[in-house]
């Protein structure tokens, strides 16, 4: 089990790396996180919802994502309440106090059943903790850390983030706050995201090992430019650009980057939808909350939202609604899932799934959305319905992604849908998706992950650049290959940094050091002790 001294110390990517390493050594391995709090989710092949981090970890392990890998997903819907998804389906909405005091014990058997189901199918399970195992105010009902470790009889690796500072205090404090039997289950610690001179770190590691009587199994370097989801998050990446510089905004060269503005909604969900766009060398993408950024953009995108109506009302209050509607008179606008619903004429919520009543949308697409009690969750693929996008001719492009939404969209007479889809589990069931306006400058789709499809992303960028009379990109990425390369790079770096023989010993499996010609980085970087 990978534990952390706190949130965002690198537990998710460490788990991802270990899944890939064990898979590369020929073992059937699966990830498991009993309880995950995240607005980033993914759809399994069965059409069920799990945390996006566990979907990435399954990808690293080379296995299909299963709802058992993340039986409880908590999706915050405000400061005091959350939607709880159990085994991929909406279970209810609860307050934090009610969940911790009563609901956790009710759901513990579900967690146990899911873990046992995975354990019966795989040789190795890599568990991921949540936050810190030493939250002493919550430990009594914590089913994501030490209680889960005991249930699985797991050896634990404690990870600290040196990039944040105070890593030794964080490691020591975490261990000191654990009960003696819990502390014994932690077999060693690792330091993550290291930069600088390792010789300066060495004395601290030795003092720490003597103090806690546990080994440091390695120091993992800070890895930049990984094309992977960093961690589950309720917000945007801390390094995200939020405003174009004057030089970027005024650049009139036909070779300049395409400026893409994604509205940073308060309840922004699945911001990983835009990772593939951000990685394109011909794109300058920012997450914005200002009218000025909208006016400077070449394309404005409204993303998914956990609280669609609340976020729409926020845009009305902040003046962004007016700015987007003015921009749409001559510019290019796209909406993903909740963003598409906002682009329509009305959103109504008769059963109070998000908020009672009805609210007017931006009116840029001739559609109406009605919130429903049942959530649509499925992987889907299909084709664009039209051969024109942003006024530019496009080939008959395939699209793919996943749907996670509770809204049902109805079309006005004459409205054109954006694409035609079929479910991966039911190719015979054809459905229409999204909407595109008559002049093709505004479109919406329910498909999360649509930009991860190379063919569509390339045509989207080509059409947007063509509309603005910009030159064609000199280079465009192959996203799936970049992700695979990143997974392999992550695994190589972690394997070269940790004492993997010790880690494999904890699991009870033999470890064979990779050959020089398989991982040439290992010898040059230095294998962990």
């Amino acid at each position: 089990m990978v534990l952390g001294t706190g949130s965002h110390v690198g537990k998710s990517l460490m788990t991802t790396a270990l899944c890939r390493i064990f898979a590369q050594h020929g073992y059937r391995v699966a990830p498991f996180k009993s309880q995950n709090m995240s607005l980033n989710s993914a759809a399994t092949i069965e059409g069920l919802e799990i945390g996006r981090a566990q979907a990435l970890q399954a990808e690293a392990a080379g296995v299909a994502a299963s709802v058992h890998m993340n039986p409880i997903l908590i999706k915050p819907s405000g400061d005091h309440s959350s939607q709880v998804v159990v085994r991929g389906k909406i279970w209810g909405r609860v307050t934090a106090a009610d969940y911790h005091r009563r609901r956790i014990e009710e759901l513990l058997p579900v967690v146990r059943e899911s873990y046992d189901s995975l354990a019966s199918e795989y040789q190795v399970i890599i568990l991921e903790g949540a936050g810190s195992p030493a939250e002493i105010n919550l430990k009594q009902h914590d089913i994501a850390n030490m209680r889960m470790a005991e249930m699985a009889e797991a050896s634990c690796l404690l990870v600290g983030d040196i990039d944040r500072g105070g890593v030794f205090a964080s490691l020591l404090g975490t261990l000191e706050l654990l009960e003696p039997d819990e502390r014994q289950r932690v077999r060693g610690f690792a330091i993550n995201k290291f930069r600088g001179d390792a010789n300066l770190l060495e004395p601290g590691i030795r003092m720490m090992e003597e103090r806690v009587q546990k080994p440091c199994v390695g120091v993992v370097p800070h890895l930049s430019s990984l094309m992977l989801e960093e961690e589950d998050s309720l917000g945007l990446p801390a390094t995200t650009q939020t405003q174009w510089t004057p030089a970027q905004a005024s650049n009139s060269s036909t070779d300049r980057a395409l400026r893409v503005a994604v509205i940073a909604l308060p309840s922004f969900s699945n911001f990983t939808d835009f990772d593939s766009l951000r990685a394109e060398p011909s794109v300058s993408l920012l997450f914005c909350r200002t009218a000025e950024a909208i006016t400077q953009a070449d394309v404005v995108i409204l993303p998914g939202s956990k609280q669609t109506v609340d976020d729409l009302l926020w845009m009305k209050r902040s003046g962004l609604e007016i700015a987007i509607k003015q921009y749409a008179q001559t510019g290019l606008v796209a909406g993903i899932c909740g963003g598409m619903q906002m682009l329509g004429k009305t959103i109504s919520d008769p059963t109070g799934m998000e908020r009672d009543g009805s609210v007017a949308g931006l009116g840029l697409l001739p559609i109406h959305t009605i919130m429903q009690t049942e959530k649509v969750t499925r992987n889907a693929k299909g084709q664009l319905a039209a051969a024109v996008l942003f006024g530019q001719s496009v080939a008959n492009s395939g699209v793919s992604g996943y749907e996670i939404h509770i809204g049902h969209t109805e079309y006005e007479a004459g409205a054109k849908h954006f694409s035609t889809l079929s479910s991966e589990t039911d190719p015979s069931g054809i459905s229409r998706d999204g909407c595109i306006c008559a002049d093709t400058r505004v479109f919406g789709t329910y498909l999360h992950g649509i930009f991860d499809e190379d063919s569509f992303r390339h045509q989207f960028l080509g059409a947007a650049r063509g509309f603005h009379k910009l030159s064609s990109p000199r280079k465009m990425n192959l996203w799936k290959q970049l992700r695979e390369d990143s997974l392999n790079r992550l695994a190589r770096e972690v394997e070269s940094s940790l004492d993997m023989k010790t880690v494999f010993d904890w699991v009870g499996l033999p470890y064979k050091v990779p050959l020089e010609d398989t991982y040439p980085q290992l010898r040059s970087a230095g294998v962990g002790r």
Side-chain angles (χ1 to χ4, degrees):
M1 186 176 202
V2 177
L3 298 169
T5 57
S7 297
H8 311 303
V9 300
K11 295 186 298 293
S12 292
L13 285 186
M14 186 69 75
T15 303
T16 301
L18 291 173
C19 284
R20 174 57 59 104
I21 291 167
F22 276 94
Q24 287 174 334
H25 282 263
Y27 297 108
R28 295 193 71 248
V29 57
F32 180 85
K33 187 168 185 175
S34 59
Q35 174 186 289
N36 195 352
M37 176 175 282
S38 178
L39 290 180
N40 283 332
S41 57
T44 68
I45 195 169
E46 313 99 326
L48 299 169
E49 187 177 10
I50 64 171
R52 185 144 192 87
Q54 281 63 64
L56 173 66
Q57 291 157 4
E59 182 182 343
V63 298
S66 163
V67 73
H68 292 301
M69 296 173 181
N70 177 211
I72 301 176
L73 175 62
I74 300 174
K75 306 186 78 171
S77 52
D79 291 339
H80 303 289
S81 66
S82 296
Q83 180 188 89
V84 180
V85 177
V86 177
R87 284 189 182 163
K89 296 289 187 181
I90 295 176
W91 182 77
R93 179 176 294 185
V94 297
T95 65
D98 182 48
Y99 182 75
H100 283 286
R101 290 171 184 164
R102 297 194 300 123
R103 305 300 183 179
I104 282 180
E105 301 305 320
E106 186 178 337
L107 293 173
L108 185 59
V110 174
V111 169
R112 185 186 295 274
E113 288 172 9
S114 285
Y115 176 80
D116 288 344
S117 176
L118 285 182
S120 69
E121 296 180 38
Y122 293 92
Q123 294 170 282
V124 182
I125 307 293
I126 309 294
L127 297 91
E128 180 188 344
S132 163
E135 302 291 352
I136 55 177
N137 56 316
L138 302 175
K139 262 177 95 274
Q140 182 181 356
H141 299 293
D142 181 1
I143 59 172
N145 290 295
M146 302 315 299
R147 196 170 178 186
M148 188 64 234
E150 181 181 1
M151 189 185 304
E153 298 182 8
S155 298
C156 297
L157 170 66
L158 180 61
V159 176
D161 177 4
I162 196 170
D163 202 42
R164 291 173 164 235
V167 67
F168 294 121
S170 299
L171 289 165
L172 179 61
T174 300
L175 290 168
E176 288 289 338
L177 289 173
L178 296 179
E179 298 299 325
D181 60 322
E182 296 172 332
R183 197 177 305 125
Q184 186 175 3
R185 193 170 289 283
V186 179
R187 305 289 295 276
F189 65 92
I191 294 175
N192 197 24
K193 306 181 188 178
F194 177 71
R195 322 174 198 231
D197 187 345
N199 292 323
L200 298 177
L201 186 64
E202 193 70 18
I205 291 176
R206 294 291 160 251
M207 287 187 280
M208 187 70 185
E209 288 179 323
E210 292 175 8
R211 179 75 176 261
V212 301
Q213 290 297 295
K214 296 180 186 297
C216 175
V217 296
V219 178
V220 180
H222 187 280
L223 301 177
S224 61
S225 304
L226 281 177
M227 306 297 178
L228 302 171
E229 297 91 303
E230 176 65 22
E231 285 202 79
D232 301 326
S233 176
L234 303 183
L236 303 178
T239 58
T240 296
Q241 183 180 356
T242 57
Q243 193 72 35
W244 283 296
T245 66
Q248 289 174 314
S250 62
N251 189 345
S252 59
S253 168
T254 58
D255 290 331
R256 68 171 174 81
L258 185 77
R259 295 188 289 265
V260 178
V262 179
I263 307 301
L265 302 169
S267 297
F268 194 162
S269 68
N270 289 64
F271 63 73
T272 52
D273 282 345
F274 308 103
D275 286 353
S276 56
L277 277 178
R278 292 175 66 208
E280 286 288 351
S282 64
V283 171
S284 175
L285 184 146
L286 61 81
F287 296 102
C288 73
R289 288 187 171 185
T290 67
E292 180 184 8
I294 291 171
T295 61
Q296 296 169 345
D298 298 311
V299 184
V300 172
I301 303 179
L302 278 67
S305 167
K306 177 62 184 69
Q307 296 293 116
T308 306
V309 173
D310 284 350
D311 282 351
L312 178 57
L313 294 174
W314 169 81
M315 285 202 301
K316 292 175 183 287
R317 292 192 302 270
S318 63
L320 290 180
E321 178 199 30
I322 294 174
I324 293 170
K325 291 170 76 169
Q326 290 176 341
Y327 171 86
Q329 294 176 15
T330 56
L332 307 178
V333 181
I336 308 295
C337 197
M340 178 191 74
Q341 295 172 345
M342 296 179 198
L343 292 176
K345 293 192 173 180
T346 61
I347 302 175
S348 58
D349 192 354
T351 60
M353 287 300 293
E354 291 188 1
R355 172 191 283 262
D356 292 328
S358 179
V359 63
L362 275 65
L364 299 179
L365 291 174
I367 57 175
H368 301 265
T369 297
I370 301 95
M371 296 298 183
Q372 299 181 321
T373 56
E374 291 295 319
K375 182 179 288 189
V376 175
T377 309
R378 66 170 188 161
N379 291 286
K381 58 183 178 179
Q383 298 288 324
L384 291 180
V388 178
L389 178 63
F390 301 151
Q392 313 296 305
S393 296
V394 295
N396 186 21
S397 173
V399 294
S400 65
Y402 56 99
E403 297 180 54
I404 298 178
H405 59 91
I406 58 172
H408 168 71
T409 295
E410 297 181 349
Y411 296 78
E412 292 187 351
K416 299 179 180 179
H417 60 282
F418 175 70
S419 65
T420 301
L421 300 177
S422 63
S423 169
E424 288 189 359
T425 55
D426 182 19
S428 62
I430 305 299
S431 63
R432 60 181 184 175
D433 164 66
C435 184
I436 188 166
C437 69
D439 63 10
T440 73
R441 289 189 300 101
V442 180
F443 78 85
T445 175
Y446 270 121
L447 281 181
H448 291 288
I450 189 171
F451 295 116
D452 293 354
E453 182 69 41
D454 291 333
S455 173
F456 174 76
R457 186 179 68 259
H458 294 171
Q459 295 202 68
F460 171 89
L461 294 177
R465 294 185 71 88
F467 177 87
H468 289 290
K469 297 182 170 52
L470 300 175
S471 57
S472 298
R474 296 177 183 176
K475 177 187 176 183
M476 285 195 278
N477 291 331
L478 297 177
W479 181 245
K480 289 181 175 59
Q481 186 59 53
L482 283 176
R483 282 176 62 83
E484 186 65 15
D485 292 345
S486 290
L487 283 170
N488 286 331
R489 178 188 165 209
L490 172 66
R492 285 194 299 268
E493 293 284 359
V494 170
E495 189 165 8
S496 70
S497 302
L498 299 187
D499 179 355
M500 292 307 303
K501 182 181 184 305
T502 294
V503 173
F504 272 60
D505 284 346
W506 292 346
V507 180
L509 293 172
Y511 174 71
K512 183 179 179 181
V513 177
L515 298 175
E516 291 274 355
D517 57 355
T518 305
Y519 297 125
Q521 294 90 332
L522 291 184
R523 302 289 78 78
S524 61
V527 179
R529 290 180 304 280

Short mmCIF file of all heavy atoms in Angstrom, two decimals, residues 369-414:
data_model
loop_
_atom_site.label_atom_id
_atom_site.label_comp_id
_atom_site.label_asym_id
_atom_site.label_seq_id
_atom_site.Cartn_x
_atom_site.Cartn_y
_atom_site.Cartn_z
N THR A 369 -32.14 21.06 -21.66
CA THR A 369 -31.66 19.94 -20.84
C THR A 369 -32.54 19.79 -19.61
O THR A 369 -32.87 20.77 -18.94
CB THR A 369 -30.20 20.15 -20.41
OG1 THR A 369 -29.37 20.19 -21.58
CG2 THR A 369 -29.74 19.02 -19.51
N ILE A 370 -32.92 18.54 -19.34
CA ILE A 370 -33.70 18.21 -18.15
C ILE A 370 -32.85 17.26 -17.29
O ILE A 370 -32.45 16.18 -17.75
CB ILE A 370 -35.04 17.53 -18.50
CG1 ILE A 370 -35.88 18.44 -19.39
CG2 ILE A 370 -35.80 17.16 -17.24
CD1 ILE A 370 -35.73 18.18 -20.86
N MET A 371 -32.54 17.67 -16.06
CA MET A 371 -31.78 16.82 -15.15
C MET A 371 -32.64 15.63 -14.72
O MET A 371 -33.84 15.78 -14.46
CB MET A 371 -31.32 17.60 -13.93
CG MET A 371 -30.35 18.73 -14.25
SD MET A 371 -28.84 18.11 -14.99
CE MET A 371 -27.91 19.65 -15.16
N GLN A 372 -32.02 14.46 -14.62
CA GLN A 372 -32.73 13.25 -14.26
C GLN A 372 -32.03 12.54 -13.10
O GLN A 372 -30.90 12.86 -12.75
CB GLN A 372 -32.83 12.31 -15.48
CG GLN A 372 -33.59 12.94 -16.64
CD GLN A 372 -33.70 12.01 -17.83
OE1 GLN A 372 -32.75 11.31 -18.16
NE2 GLN A 372 -34.85 12.01 -18.49
N THR A 373 -32.73 11.59 -12.51
CA THR A 373 -32.18 10.91 -11.34
C THR A 373 -31.13 9.86 -11.71
O THR A 373 -30.23 9.58 -10.93
CB THR A 373 -33.30 10.22 -10.54
OG1 THR A 373 -34.01 9.33 -11.41
CG2 THR A 373 -34.26 11.25 -9.98
N GLU A 374 -31.23 9.29 -12.90
CA GLU A 374 -30.29 8.26 -13.33
C GLU A 374 -29.14 8.89 -14.10
O GLU A 374 -29.34 9.71 -14.99
CB GLU A 374 -30.99 7.21 -14.20
CG GLU A 374 -31.99 6.35 -13.45
CD GLU A 374 -31.32 5.48 -12.39
OE1 GLU A 374 -30.23 4.93 -12.67
OE2 GLU A 374 -31.87 5.37 -11.28
N LYS A 375 -27.92 8.47 -13.76
CA LYS A 375 -26.74 8.99 -14.44
C LYS A 375 -26.40 8.11 -15.64
O LYS A 375 -26.43 6.89 -15.56
CB LYS A 375 -25.55 9.03 -13.48
CG LYS A 375 -24.27 9.61 -14.08
CD LYS A 375 -23.14 9.65 -13.08
CE LYS A 375 -23.33 10.70 -12.03
NZ LYS A 375 -22.14 10.89 -11.17
N VAL A 376 -26.07 8.76 -16.76
CA VAL A 376 -25.57 8.06 -17.94
C VAL A 376 -24.05 7.95 -17.79
O VAL A 376 -23.36 8.95 -17.64
CB VAL A 376 -25.92 8.80 -19.23
CG1 VAL A 376 -25.27 8.13 -20.45
CG2 VAL A 376 -27.42 8.90 -19.41
N THR A 377 -23.54 6.73 -17.83
CA THR A 377 -22.10 6.49 -17.71
C THR A 377 -21.72 5.42 -18.72
O THR A 377 -22.14 4.27 -18.58
CB THR A 377 -21.72 6.01 -16.30
OG1 THR A 377 -22.27 6.88 -15.32
CG2 THR A 377 -20.21 5.98 -16.13
N ARG A 378 -20.97 5.79 -19.73
CA ARG A 378 -20.59 4.80 -20.74
C ARG A 378 -19.41 5.30 -21.56
O ARG A 378 -19.20 6.51 -21.70
CB ARG A 378 -21.75 4.49 -21.67
CG ARG A 378 -22.18 5.65 -22.56
CD ARG A 378 -23.16 5.23 -23.63
NE ARG A 378 -23.42 6.29 -24.60
CZ ARG A 378 -23.93 6.10 -25.82
NH1 ARG A 378 -24.24 4.88 -26.21
NH2 ARG A 378 -24.12 7.12 -26.63
N ASN A 379 -18.63 4.36 -22.09
CA ASN A 379 -17.64 4.67 -23.11
C ASN A 379 -18.35 4.63 -24.46
O ASN A 379 -19.21 3.77 -24.69
CB ASN A 379 -16.51 3.64 -23.08
CG ASN A 379 -15.65 3.78 -21.84
OD1 ASN A 379 -14.87 4.71 -21.72
ND2 ASN A 379 -15.80 2.85 -20.90
N ALA A 380 -17.99 5.54 -25.34
CA ALA A 380 -18.69 5.61 -26.62
C ALA A 380 -17.72 6.03 -27.72
O ALA A 380 -16.70 6.67 -27.47
CB ALA A 380 -19.86 6.59 -26.54
N LYS A 381 -18.08 5.70 -28.94
CA LYS A 381 -17.31 6.13 -30.10
C LYS A 381 -18.27 6.28 -31.28
O LYS A 381 -19.38 5.73 -31.28
CB LYS A 381 -16.21 5.14 -30.44
CG LYS A 381 -16.68 3.73 -30.73
CD LYS A 381 -15.50 2.82 -30.98
CE LYS A 381 -15.95 1.39 -31.24
NZ LYS A 381 -14.79 0.49 -31.50
N GLY A 382 -17.85 7.05 -32.27
CA GLY A 382 -18.72 7.26 -33.42
C GLY A 382 -18.07 8.16 -34.45
O GLY A 382 -16.85 8.20 -34.58
N GLN A 383 -18.91 8.92 -35.15
CA GLN A 383 -18.46 9.77 -36.24
C GLN A 383 -19.09 11.14 -36.13
O GLN A 383 -20.20 11.30 -35.62
CB GLN A 383 -18.86 9.16 -37.59
CG GLN A 383 -18.26 7.81 -37.89
CD GLN A 383 -16.78 7.90 -38.21
OE1 GLN A 383 -16.33 8.86 -38.84
NE2 GLN A 383 -16.01 6.90 -37.79
N LEU A 384 -18.38 12.16 -36.61
CA LEU A 384 -18.97 13.49 -36.73
C LEU A 384 -20.15 13.42 -37.67
O LEU A 384 -20.12 12.71 -38.68
CB LEU A 384 -17.94 14.50 -37.25
CG LEU A 384 -16.78 14.88 -36.34
CD1 LEU A 384 -15.88 15.89 -37.04
CD2 LEU A 384 -17.29 15.45 -35.03
N ALA A 385 -21.19 14.16 -37.33
CA ALA A 385 -22.40 14.12 -38.16
C ALA A 385 -22.28 14.99 -39.40
O ALA A 385 -22.98 14.77 -40.39
CB ALA A 385 -23.61 14.58 -37.34
N ALA A 386 -21.40 15.98 -39.37
CA ALA A 386 -21.26 16.89 -40.51
C ALA A 386 -19.81 16.92 -40.98
O ALA A 386 -18.90 16.53 -40.24
CB ALA A 386 -21.70 18.31 -40.12
N ALA A 387 -19.61 17.38 -42.20
CA ALA A 387 -18.26 17.46 -42.78
C ALA A 387 -17.68 18.86 -42.66
O ALA A 387 -16.71 19.19 -43.34
CB ALA A 387 -18.30 17.01 -44.24
N VAL A 388 -18.31 19.69 -41.82
CA VAL A 388 -17.85 21.07 -41.65
C VAL A 388 -17.77 21.38 -40.16
O VAL A 388 -18.68 21.05 -39.39
CB VAL A 388 -18.79 22.07 -42.34
CG1 VAL A 388 -18.32 23.50 -42.12
CG2 VAL A 388 -18.89 21.78 -43.83
N LEU A 389 -16.68 22.02 -39.75
CA LEU A 389 -16.49 22.47 -38.37
C LEU A 389 -15.83 23.83 -38.41
O LEU A 389 -14.82 24.01 -39.11
CB LEU A 389 -15.62 21.47 -37.59
CG LEU A 389 -15.31 21.83 -36.13
CD1 LEU A 389 -16.59 21.89 -35.31
CD2 LEU A 389 -14.32 20.83 -35.53
N PHE A 390 -16.39 24.79 -37.71
CA PHE A 390 -15.88 26.16 -37.70
C PHE A 390 -15.80 26.73 -39.11
O PHE A 390 -14.90 27.51 -39.45
CB PHE A 390 -14.50 26.23 -37.03
CG PHE A 390 -14.46 25.76 -35.61
CD1 PHE A 390 -13.30 25.20 -35.08
CD2 PHE A 390 -15.58 25.87 -34.78
CE1 PHE A 390 -13.26 24.78 -33.76
CE2 PHE A 390 -15.54 25.45 -33.46
CZ PHE A 390 -14.38 24.90 -32.95
N GLY A 391 -16.75 26.31 -39.96
CA GLY A 391 -16.78 26.80 -41.34
C GLY A 391 -15.73 26.19 -42.23
O GLY A 391 -15.60 26.60 -43.40
N GLN A 392 -15.00 25.20 -41.74
CA GLN A 392 -13.93 24.57 -42.51
C GLN A 392 -14.30 23.12 -42.80
O GLN A 392 -14.89 22.43 -41.97
CB GLN A 392 -12.62 24.59 -41.73
CG GLN A 392 -12.27 25.93 -41.10
CD GLN A 392 -12.03 27.01 -42.12
OE1 GLN A 392 -11.19 26.86 -43.02
NE2 GLN A 392 -12.76 28.11 -42.00
N SER A 393 -13.93 22.65 -43.97
CA SER A 393 -14.19 21.26 -44.32
C SER A 393 -13.30 20.33 -43.49
O SER A 393 -12.11 20.59 -43.31
CB SER A 393 -13.92 21.03 -45.80
OG SER A 393 -14.80 21.79 -46.60
N VAL A 394 -13.90 19.27 -42.96
CA VAL A 394 -13.14 18.26 -42.22
C VAL A 394 -13.48 16.89 -42.80
O VAL A 394 -14.56 16.69 -43.36
CB VAL A 394 -13.46 18.30 -40.71
CG1 VAL A 394 -13.01 19.60 -40.10
CG2 VAL A 394 -14.95 18.09 -40.46
N ALA A 395 -12.55 15.97 -42.65
CA ALA A 395 -12.79 14.62 -43.13
C ALA A 395 -13.82 13.95 -42.23
O ALA A 395 -14.17 14.44 -41.15
CB ALA A 395 -11.48 13.83 -43.13
N ASN A 396 -14.29 12.79 -42.65
CA ASN A 396 -15.27 12.05 -41.86
C ASN A 396 -14.56 11.49 -40.63
O ASN A 396 -14.13 10.34 -40.59
CB ASN A 396 -15.87 10.92 -42.70
CG ASN A 396 -17.00 10.22 -41.97
OD1 ASN A 396 -17.59 10.77 -41.04
ND2 ASN A 396 -17.30 9.00 -42.37
N SER A 397 -14.40 12.34 -39.62
CA SER A 397 -13.55 12.02 -38.47
C SER A 397 -14.28 11.17 -37.43
O SER A 397 -15.43 11.42 -37.09
CB SER A 397 -13.09 13.33 -37.82
OG SER A 397 -12.40 13.07 -36.63
N GLY A 398 -13.55 10.20 -36.91
CA GLY A 398 -14.06 9.44 -35.79
C GLY A 398 -13.92 10.21 -34.49
O GLY A 398 -13.03 11.06 -34.35
N VAL A 399 -14.80 9.95 -33.56
CA VAL A 399 -14.72 10.55 -32.22
C VAL A 399 -14.86 9.43 -31.21
O VAL A 399 -15.47 8.39 -31.48
CB VAL A 399 -15.82 11.62 -31.99
CG1 VAL A 399 -15.62 12.82 -32.88
CG2 VAL A 399 -17.21 11.02 -32.21
N SER A 400 -14.29 9.63 -30.02
CA SER A 400 -14.43 8.66 -28.95
C SER A 400 -14.24 9.36 -27.63
O SER A 400 -13.67 10.46 -27.56
CB SER A 400 -13.40 7.52 -29.10
OG SER A 400 -12.08 8.01 -28.94
N GLY A 401 -14.71 8.74 -26.57
CA GLY A 401 -14.60 9.32 -25.23
C GLY A 401 -15.53 8.59 -24.29
O GLY A 401 -15.87 7.43 -24.51
N TYR A 402 -15.96 9.29 -23.26
CA TYR A 402 -16.85 8.67 -22.29
C TYR A 402 -17.86 9.70 -21.79
O TYR A 402 -17.57 10.89 -21.70
CB TYR A 402 -16.09 8.06 -21.12
CG TYR A 402 -15.19 9.02 -20.37
CD1 TYR A 402 -15.60 9.62 -19.19
CD2 TYR A 402 -13.91 9.32 -20.85
CE1 TYR A 402 -14.78 10.50 -18.50
CE2 TYR A 402 -13.09 10.20 -20.17
CZ TYR A 402 -13.52 10.78 -19.00
OH TYR A 402 -12.71 11.65 -18.33
N GLU A 403 -19.07 9.22 -21.53
CA GLU A 403 -20.15 10.08 -21.03
C GLU A 403 -20.35 9.83 -19.54
O GLU A 403 -20.40 8.69 -19.09
CB GLU A 403 -21.46 9.77 -21.76
CG GLU A 403 -21.43 10.06 -23.25
CD GLU A 403 -22.78 9.74 -23.89
OE1 GLU A 403 -23.80 10.27 -23.42
OE2 GLU A 403 -22.80 8.95 -24.86
N ILE A 404 -20.46 10.93 -18.78
CA ILE A 404 -20.83 10.86 -17.37
C ILE A 404 -21.72 12.07 -17.11
O ILE A 404 -21.22 13.19 -16.94
CB ILE A 404 -19.61 10.87 -16.44
CG1 ILE A 404 -18.71 9.66 -16.69
CG2 ILE A 404 -20.04 10.90 -14.98
CD1 ILE A 404 -17.46 9.62 -15.84
N HIS A 405 -23.04 11.88 -17.12
CA HIS A 405 -23.94 13.03 -16.94
C HIS A 405 -25.31 12.56 -16.49
O HIS A 405 -25.69 11.41 -16.72
CB HIS A 405 -24.06 13.84 -18.23
CG HIS A 405 -24.59 13.05 -19.41
ND1 HIS A 405 -25.92 12.98 -19.72
CD2 HIS A 405 -23.95 12.31 -20.34
CE1 HIS A 405 -26.08 12.23 -20.81
NE2 HIS A 405 -24.90 11.81 -21.20
N ILE A 406 -26.04 13.46 -15.84
CA ILE A 406 -27.40 13.14 -15.40
C ILE A 406 -28.45 13.89 -16.22
O ILE A 406 -29.64 13.74 -15.98
CB ILE A 406 -27.61 13.45 -13.91
CG1 ILE A 406 -27.33 14.93 -13.60
CG2 ILE A 406 -26.74 12.55 -13.04
CD1 ILE A 406 -27.68 15.32 -12.19
N GLY A 407 -28.03 14.69 -17.18
CA GLY A 407 -28.98 15.46 -17.97
C GLY A 407 -29.41 14.74 -19.24
O GLY A 407 -28.62 14.04 -19.87
N HIS A 408 -30.67 14.92 -19.60
CA HIS A 408 -31.19 14.45 -20.89
C HIS A 408 -31.45 15.68 -21.75
O HIS A 408 -32.12 16.62 -21.32
CB HIS A 408 -32.48 13.67 -20.70
CG HIS A 408 -33.21 13.41 -21.99
ND1 HIS A 408 -32.73 12.52 -22.94
CD2 HIS A 408 -34.36 13.93 -22.50
CE1 HIS A 408 -33.57 12.50 -23.97
NE2 HIS A 408 -34.56 13.35 -23.72
N THR A 409 -30.91 15.69 -22.95
CA THR A 409 -31.01 16.86 -23.82
C THR A 409 -32.05 16.65 -24.91
O THR A 409 -32.05 15.61 -25.59
CB THR A 409 -29.63 17.17 -24.45
OG1 THR A 409 -28.72 17.54 -23.42
CG2 THR A 409 -29.72 18.30 -25.46
N GLU A 410 -32.91 17.64 -25.05
CA GLU A 410 -33.94 17.62 -26.11
C GLU A 410 -33.61 18.70 -27.14
O GLU A 410 -33.09 19.76 -26.80
CB GLU A 410 -35.32 17.85 -25.50
CG GLU A 410 -35.73 16.73 -24.54
CD GLU A 410 -37.12 16.95 -23.96
OE1 GLU A 410 -37.67 18.07 -24.13
OE2 GLU A 410 -37.64 16.01 -23.34
N TYR A 411 -33.93 18.39 -28.39
CA TYR A 411 -33.57 19.27 -29.51
C TYR A 411 -34.79 20.02 -30.03
O TYR A 411 -35.89 19.45 -30.13
CB TYR A 411 -32.99 18.44 -30.65
CG TYR A 411 -31.69 17.73 -30.32
CD1 TYR A 411 -31.68 16.56 -29.56
CD2 TYR A 411 -30.48 18.23 -30.77
CE1 TYR A 411 -30.50 15.92 -29.26
CE2 TYR A 411 -29.28 17.58 -30.48
CZ TYR A 411 -29.30 16.43 -29.73
OH TYR A 411 -28.13 15.78 -29.43
N GLU A 412 -34.59 21.27 -30.37
CA GLU A 412 -35.63 22.01 -31.07
C GLU A 412 -35.70 21.55 -32.53
O GLU A 412 -34.75 20.95 -33.05
CB GLU A 412 -35.35 23.51 -31.01
CG GLU A 412 -35.49 24.10 -29.61
CD GLU A 412 -35.36 25.62 -29.61
OE1 GLU A 412 -34.99 26.18 -30.66
OE2 GLU A 412 -35.63 26.22 -28.55
N ALA A 413 -36.80 21.85 -33.17
CA ALA A 413 -36.97 21.46 -34.57
C ALA A 413 -35.84 22.05 -35.42
O ALA A 413 -35.53 23.23 -35.31
CB ALA A 413 -38.32 21.92 -35.08
N GLY A 414 -35.25 21.20 -36.24
CA GLY A 414 -34.19 21.67 -37.14
C GLY A 414 -32.81 21.68 -36.53
O GLY A 414 -31.83 21.97 -37.23
#
